[in-house]
Amino acid sequence: MSLPTELVHADDKDNRVSDIVSPINVATTFRYDESDLIPWSEREDFSFMEKKPIYSRLAHPNSTRVESILSSILKGEAVIYSSGLAAYFAMLTHYNPKRLFIGQGYHGCRSIADIYTRNWSLEQHPLEIDEILKHAEKGDVVHIESPVNPYGTSSDIKSFADAAHSKGALLVIDSTFAPPPLQDAWEFGVDVILHSATKYFGGHSDLLAGVLAVKDKQVASQLRSDRIYLGTNVANLEAFLLLRSLRTFDMRIKTQSENATKLVTYLAEHISDYPDVIDEIFHSSLQTETFVKVQLKGGYGPVFAITLKSKDQCKKFPQLLEYFQHATSLGGVESLVEWRALTDPYIKQTLIRVSVGVESINDSIKDFTNALQILQEEAKN
Ligand SMILES: *Cc1c(COP(=O)(O)O)cnc(C)c1O
């Protein structure tokens, strides 16, 4: 099966009723099968819950379906969570490293690491090859995000994988900004792939979910078992919404990737028209290193960033746009911009993050040029 078919059919094996669209299940508990009463202590593996759900914190029909599809498209064992950060927390809890190498990226992941540092003295190190080679030990975790929030630029995944593995450490990648078919991080030696499914897999700004993908079945089984007690399985209604979203994911991500690349290309070509407004533009499509195109073999990510000349311009710019709405988050069909300082405590104060949606790219370019022209004229006067 190829990706578009997997999105529609990888969960056919989980059909329970004849409905074409899987029903919303709001049940938290399910009747036992009286012909199959086996005590929990005598169970060797818990995958039976996929066919015979017990209690929705363990698994429920649509969480099982979502895992079937995500396992198929992420080419591994996918474990679904109630949010991207719940997935990150589960990853840290499972591997329980003494040291974590972490750099620029989604600020929430760093805040979880801070909880670990506060409670269990997790050592945090900068995400640098030299630092890994000098300090990493067996069982440590190196965490990279590529393309990285909020810039949308890429780093060389394989160089981090090689450095981590040379010390017996693991490489975890947050690949939220480039889901398949844009990037397949397994090709570059990662051990765990994380996605905030709230973003592109969800795609409609109406659900929270996260996923970890691993190659090792035993690790997946341990993660699923821990998830029961962490209480972080995806919720019933969210799983239904995510299932609906996944059906059209391939079309959405391709359109969003193409649109973002066109908008960035346009801005880079016209940057000299706005000398008093745009400072810099950041996106993988503007990087010249050879690994970038190799990693993003299916297209560039739909998020990029621009820095403006002043904070004041950052406040005005979103108000001047007609179609791009001023809100946090990304990945939805609606284009968004965000003055990132509003939610990210660590970021440059003049940065605007742009999440490109599925609107006509010509309208989006016009929207941007109009707002930039107004700011340019203001700045000249
Ligand atoms: C949004 C996001 C997260 C966190 O995901 P939630 O689903 O909001 O918990 C993690 N990493 C990246 C790159 C994100 O964009």
Side-chain angles (χ1 to χ4, degrees), residues 82-88 105-109 143 145 147-149 174-177 194-199 207-210 329-330 340 353:
S82 56
S83 71
L85 286 188
Y88 193 73
Y106 188 73
H107 59 91
C109 295
H143 170 72
E145 199 175 295
V148 73
N149 180 59
D174 183 336
S175 193
T176 299
F177 276 37
L194 178 145
H195 286 271
S196 166
T198 309
K199 312 298 167 52
L207 67 94
L208 282 178
S329 199
L330 56 106
R340 195 62 188 153
R353 185 177 72 182

Side-chain angles (χ1 to χ4, degrees), residues 209-275:
V211 61
L212 293 178
V214 294
K215 287 289 191 189
D216 186 329
K217 277 194 184 345
Q218 267 176 336
V219 172
S221 157
Q222 186 68 56
L223 287 168
R224 288 197 187 101
S225 163
D226 289 351
R227 184 184 59 189
I228 297 175
Y229 308 108
L230 292 172
T232 47
N233 191 20
V234 66
N236 293 35
L237 190 57
E238 313 278 292
F240 170 83
L241 289 171
L242 182 51
L243 204 51
R244 169 224 49 187
S245 293
L246 284 168
R247 308 301 186 197
T248 56
F249 163 71
D250 184 64
M251 291 177 257
R252 289 186 280 105
I253 190 67
K254 282 183 186 151
T255 301
Q256 289 176 261
S257 166
E258 280 166 24
N259 284 351
T261 307
K262 282 182 190 160
L263 182 56
V264 169
T265 306
Y266 180 89
L267 292 174
E269 281 169 1
H270 294 82
I271 190 167
S272 58
D273 296 347
Y274 313 104

